Amino acid sequence: MFLNVSAIHGPNRYFVEGAKEDSVETQRAALRYVDEALGPLFEAMRKRARPAYCLAFSDHGTAYGEDGYQGHRLAHDVVWTVPYREFLV
Ligand SMILES: [Zn+2]
C-alpha cells in the first residue's frame, strides 16, 4: 500500500483556525491530525496475519524562517533534511 499524506505539505494553515499563513504551529497541527488518522490504520494492519513493513518519510523539509527562508523550493539544510523511519506493524 502506498499512502501519500499531503496534510503536512504546504499550505497547512487550514489546521489552525484563523491562521493566515503556514508556520511551525500550523505544520504541527497538521502532524497531529495525521497522527490521529494513522492510529486506526496501524491498528487494522496489526490484525493481519503477517506483519507489514512500513517506510515513513517526507519528500523534503520546509523552512519556517530559518536564516530568513520560507518554504521548500530552496537549497537549505532544513529542506534537505528529510524525516525517515522504517518499522514493522
Ligand atoms: Zn513536497
Side-chain angles (χ1 to χ4, degrees):
M1 176 176 73
F2 175 79
L3 178 65
N4 181 4
V5 180
S6 62
I8 57 176
H9 204 281
N12 52 44
R13 60 186 156 274
Y14 309 108
F15 291 90
V16 174
E17 189 173 327
K20 301 283 189 240
E21 59 187 33
D22 290 0
S23 67
V24 171
E25 179 189 7
T26 62
Q27 189 182 44
R28 285 181 179 156
L31 283 167
R32 285 192 293 274
Y33 167 78
V34 170
D35 282 349
E36 289 176 15
L38 288 178
L41 174 63
F42 288 164
E43 193 58 39
M45 293 173 79
R46 283 187 189 98
K47 293 177 181 170
R48 296 166 31 108
R50 297 184 346 185
Y53 180 63
C54 298
L55 304 169
F57 53 88
S58 179
D59 55 344
H60 54 75
T62 302
Y64 288 104
E66 292 87 348
D67 298 319
Y69 294 109
Q70 295 285 335
H72 64 267
R73 295 187 179 102
L74 52 104
H76 191 281
D77 280 349
V78 296
V79 175
W80 293 339
T81 303
V82 176
Y84 174 84
R85 185 131 186 231
E86 57 186 72
F87 49 94
L88 291 174
V89 173

